[in-house]
Amino acid sequence: MTLNATPLTSTLDVSIHGLRSMKGNVLVCVTANPKFFPDCSKDPKSHRAKVAANNAGNVSFPGLTKGTYAVALIHDENGNSKMDMAIFLPKEGFGFSRNPVILTGPPKFKAAAFEIDADEVSQKVKMKYML
């Protein structure tokens, strides 16, 4: 008897476009929990990566279980591992899966959510800068 081996996990490839400089790092956070979006640093089940900006063209996350996820990115140009703000506007770049329109504040999980339902899924994220 032969069983078809269906992989239980997938790989998410995030391609990053539009960095305004090669300074600092790009912080990438992947979560399936809407309560922890866009800052999924406190989500124990999130998947995170910190990549040097000059090497941040593509980031892969293997081993994700199938489901609904959202990705948030910060271009941490000064390397302090957080989003720096000027009054109410971010001083550093940011991006989200599905590239939702940003009006005031970060998008809701639903606007950035996508399905991981294949062996390999990709998201192309365009960075945005307010200042």
Side-chain angles (χ1 to χ4, degrees):
M1 180 156 117
T2 305
L3 295 175
N4 288 339
T6 304
L8 299 174
T9 62
S10 299
T11 297
L12 170 63
D13 291 316
V14 179
S15 63
I16 304 165
H17 301 272
L19 290 174
R20 72 174 169 196
S21 76
M22 293 296 113
K23 294 181 195 167
N25 301 305
V26 176
L27 310 176
V28 186
C29 205
V30 180
T31 185
N33 190 332
K35 286 192 281 189
F36 292 107
F37 181 81
D39 179 8
C40 70
S41 63
K42 291 182 175 63
D43 178 1
K45 294 181 179 178
S46 68
H47 302 267
R48 297 184 293 274
K50 179 160 109 177
V51 183
N54 62 0
N55 197 29
N58 200 27
V59 182
S60 291
F61 293 90
L64 297 179
T65 56
K66 294 184 181 347
T68 304
Y69 290 82
V71 180
L73 293 88
I74 296 173
H75 182 191
D76 180 25
E77 289 180 283
N78 62 4
N80 67 353
S81 297
K82 65 177 188 159
M83 171 62 83
D84 293 315
M85 303 292 286
I87 305 176
F88 297 109
L89 293 175
K91 289 170 137 180
E92 297 175 300
F94 56 88
F96 303 99
S97 46
R98 294 187 50 214
N99 298 299
V101 173
I102 305 298
L103 298 173
T104 56
K108 300 283 186 217
F109 180 85
K110 185 177 179 183
F114 61 95
E115 291 298 316
I116 291 188
D117 55 4
D119 294 348
E120 193 160 338
V121 175
S122 62
Q123 283 289 311
K124 182 177 179 179
V125 178
K126 175 135 178 45
M127 299 300 291
K128 296 175 178 28
Y129 296 85
M130 304 296 260
L131 299 174

